[in-house]
Amino acid sequence: MGEFAWVPTPQRIAEANVTRLMQRAGSGSIDELRRQSVADVDWFWGLVVDDLGIPFEEPYSAVHDSSAGVPWTTWFPGGRMNVTAACVDRWLADPERADAPALLYEAEDGARRSLTFRELAAEIDALAAGLRAGGVEPGDAVAVHLPAIVEAIVAAYAVAKVGALFVPLRVGASPAFLAHRIEDAQAALVITADWRWRHGEQRPVKADLDEALVLCHSVDRVVVVERPGTTGPTHRRARDVTWDAFVAAGADRAGEPPAWMGEEDRLMLAYTSGTTGPPKGAVHTHAGFLVKAASEIAYAFDVRPGDVVLWAADPGSLMGPLSTVGTHAVGGTLLLYEGSATEPTPDRLWSLVDEHRVAVVGVSPAMTRVLRAYGDDAHAAHDLSSVRAWGSTGEPWDEDSYRWLSGTVGLQRAPVINVSGGAEVGGSFLSPYVVERIRPCSLGGPALGMEVDVFDGVGRPIRGQLGELVCRQPWPSMPRGLWGDPEGYRTTYWAMYHEVWRQGDWAKADLDGEWYLLGRSDEAIGVDGKRVGPAEVEGVVLTHEAVAEVAVIGVPDAARGEAIWCWWSPADPLAADASPALAALVERELGHPYAPARVIRVDELPRTRTGKVMRRAIRSVAGGGSPGDLSTAANPGAFDQIAAVSRASQRAAVA
């Protein structure tokens, strides 16, 4: 990975939003701005608010206050604002933006909608009036369980406008997954829809919620979006009310101003995935989340007023609200696509980019591998020259997929802005920028305003080797604790190093300034006193043409501490077993100490519904244990084969 995948032209540097910020800061380079941004965080984040024109109804008296301790830092104390007012209502007084598209929508069946900022504001106001008339007060939790449809965006903004607590839920999640989050948040109202598009079919949405609510005691009302063209049966209960009826009941309260929120007032509960422990509800605030989201969309992804952003993410994941809030805060247009990126034809994603002249396209490595499997004809048939950045987050890249997206698809005309953070972070810790050279799979360096470092076990900064990803200073979108668990918040993130946030990611910062994430730190494998991240081994295995997916885990070994086991699924189920070749490939690329003790072919790997391989559960099953909570699993049956192989291995070892 020595050469660069992206080298910006002088014109691209001159046009970038972050260049404007550098000029205002007096910075000569992006690295100098990185240093300045953490040398004085108050100055930097105040500059961001000013540069992006983020409106406060009442001005803040300070940028941040850590007098209660760094973990409990408050941001923009004294100020009052509202996310909906800052992202939507503010543009109504701007003649260039008021009647420009704020929201575009397409579905697998070809259905379309488009809303200007003025029209979006009216839809939000109508639902907000319904919420007020329905007794929703500031601070009340409202869960939103909707697919990527217009109502999902309207609902999120309406909940924020009345000052209620927005609880996004993933569609397609299991009833147990939904029940845990709804009950934990104590949501009395949930907004859902009857169904969603997925792979050419109307898949149930409300039915999953109905099953979840059997396990909940807090919900007394469910608002249901009744969709045109419904082909299957729908079921209504006494607690159900249609979206239209709910809105109509609030007609007398339309036009009321937004609830103005202070530094302690909550915007959202963002639940972690639950793949590395029990799901945790990170509490985010209006001003803190907005400022961080807007800065990332503007400076990392270089979104400008009128730009179209398409991020292929569930509205219930963090990237749903982050891409929405960030895009609208800078006056951009959000494009929603409901369904599979390869439906009804393999070129569907590329046709959306072409037709809508999309500027930023967010895709995951897993989705990229799916698209790549269809070959190069699908994307080659479309004009993708509008793309100025490819966005990515959520999991490490393999180099072949990264190069395919950047070079084969993108013709190296746009960088891959690969960022890393988390639901609890409210944004990214690490990010490259369009004005700097970027190596394949790199995360660039610390995001602006984030004093990120890599520590060894005793808190010493290290370079060129694996260590714990940490953040030395607070940042605007840091959580105001974990919902209902202040002690858990402290022990999870702040206990390992004094007043330093430990993210739980295994990172490496090279001596040349390039940063990489190599899996969760609690998944790192120790072999003969050396530690390796699963992603480092997986990246090698994925270069082999026989491999579709791979998961690397460590298992106890009396002689070496841990041994590396590599589970993989084939690209061609009928092809011969390539396990011996894969073992030799890893040994050749990484050295003998990291040669896998076992390479095991399976039909499929267990993944979450968001596409993440469930390594912790695989490791447990491989050791003879239980996979644990499978409420987030998309294919729980995949554990059966892993368990069978592991039992056979244990019997052979005893014999």
Side-chain angles (χ1 to χ4, degrees), residues 20-21 24 33 37 41-54 60 76 290-292 294-296 298-299 448-449 476:
R20 180 186 69 241
L21 190 68
R24 294 193 64 177
L33 183 58
S37 72
V41 293
D42 281 3
W43 162 81
F44 174 74
W45 289 111
L47 179 65
V48 168
V49 170
D50 183 60
D51 184 64
L52 298 179
I54 295 174
Y60 48 86
F76 309 106
L290 168 63
V291 171
K292 177 66 168 165
S295 71
E296 297 201 349
Y299 303 132
L448 292 172

Side-chain angles (χ1 to χ4, degrees), residues 182-183 185-189 216-221:
I182 294 169
E183 190 72 3
Q186 285 294 288
L189 187 149
C216 296
H217 305 286
S218 62
V219 176
D220 53 38
R221 275 176 303 167

Side-chain angles (χ1 to χ4, degrees), residues 23-75:
Q23 291 169 345
R24 294 193 64 177
S27 306
S29 68
I30 187 65
D31 284 333
E32 183 179 355
L33 183 58
R34 282 187 171 110
R35 291 189 292 270
Q36 290 176 303
S37 72
V38 296
D40 186 342
V41 293
D42 281 3
W43 162 81
F44 174 74
W45 289 111
L47 179 65
V48 168
V49 170
D50 183 60
D51 184 64
L52 298 179
I54 295 174
F56 281 75
E57 177 68 9
E58 297 179 17
Y60 48 86
S61 57
V63 175
H64 88 286
D65 179 1
S66 296
S67 59
V70 172
W72 302 106
T73 298
T74 59
W75 286 85

Side-chain angles (χ1 to χ4, degrees), residues 330 399 568 594:
V330 300
E399 188 170 352
W568 67 282
Y594 302 120

Side-chain angles (χ1 to χ4, degrees), residues 243-572:
W243 174 287
D244 290 344
F246 189 75
V247 167
D252 292 343
R253 301 200 61 176
E256 293 186 18
W260 298 115
M261 315 300 284
E263 69 271 16
E264 291 289 299
D265 292 326
R266 305 164 180 136
L267 166 68
M268 173 176 64
L269 278 188
Y271 280 89
T272 59
S273 64
T275 57
T276 58
K280 300 177 285 287
V283 181
H284 292 294
T285 60
H286 279 247
F289 184 77
L290 168 63
V291 171
K292 177 66 168 165
S295 71
E296 297 201 349
I297 293 297
Y299 303 132
F301 299 105
D302 200 31
V303 176
R304 306 160 196 174
D307 279 350
V308 178
V309 176
L310 168 61
W311 202 288
D314 189 308
S317 70
L318 180 75
M319 282 310 302
L322 192 150
S323 60
T324 299
V325 168
T327 298
H328 289 150
V330 300
T333 302
L334 187 70
L335 170 59
L336 298 175
Y337 177 67
E338 183 194 3
S340 168
T342 57
E343 292 288 344
T345 56
D347 68 339
R348 186 56 186 270
L349 177 66
W350 313 123
S351 68
L352 287 169
V353 174
D354 185 352
E355 180 179 356
H356 295 285
R357 310 310 298 154
V358 177
V360 176
V361 183
V363 293
S364 67
M367 177 180 287
T368 301
R369 288 190 285 271
V370 169
L371 294 169
R372 185 183 177 195
Y374 286 97
D376 294 336
D377 291 342
H379 68 80
H382 296 280
D383 178 7
L384 308 181
S385 61
S386 62
V387 178
R388 293 205 313 274
W390 304 98
S392 172
T393 190
E395 60 179 309
W397 278 91
D398 64 278
E399 188 170 352
D400 283 354
S401 299
Y402 185 105
R403 289 187 179 279
W404 181 78
L405 180 65
S406 174
T408 305
V409 176
L411 303 177
Q412 297 183 318
R413 292 181 299 206
V416 176
I417 302 300
N418 182 27
V419 303
S420 179
E424 62 274 63
V425 179
S428 65
F429 276 147
L430 297 170
S431 174
Y433 290 88
V434 298
V435 296
E436 63 185 334
R437 298 183 297 179
I438 305 171
R439 286 195 171 94
C441 306
S442 171
L443 288 147
L448 292 172
M450 310 296 284
E451 192 174 0
V452 180
D453 210 336
V454 180
F455 279 7
D456 65 11
V458 296
R460 295 175 300 200
I462 55 176
R463 292 294 181 268
Q465 55 186 302
L466 295 179
E468 295 279 357
L469 181 69
V470 301
C471 191
R472 293 172 175 268
Q473 293 197 73
W475 65 98
S477 62
M478 63 187 292
R480 293 295 295 139
L482 298 178
W483 184 251
D485 189 10
E487 185 57 31
Y489 170 63
R490 184 178 291 278
T491 57
T492 300
Y493 300 108
W494 299 97
M496 187 169 185
Y497 308 111
H498 178 63
E499 293 205 327
V500 172
W501 174 286
R502 169 186 171 265
Q503 177 63 7
D505 285 330
W506 205 239
K508 182 168 69 174
D510 286 348
L511 297 177
D512 61 0
E514 295 291 333
W515 290 64
Y516 302 90
L517 287 188
L518 299 167
R520 298 290 296 178
S521 57
D522 56 2
E523 294 174 349
I525 305 168
V527 183
D528 292 337
K530 304 177 180 67
R531 297 184 72 78
V532 64
E536 197 161 12
V537 182
E538 292 169 2
V540 173
V541 175
L542 282 167
T543 63
H544 197 289
E545 61 182 6
V547 178
E549 294 289 350
V550 59
V552 168
I553 64 169
V555 298
D557 183 273
R560 308 186 70 189
E562 285 187 290
I564 296 173
W565 283 24
C566 175
W567 303 83
W568 67 282
S569 62
D572 180 0

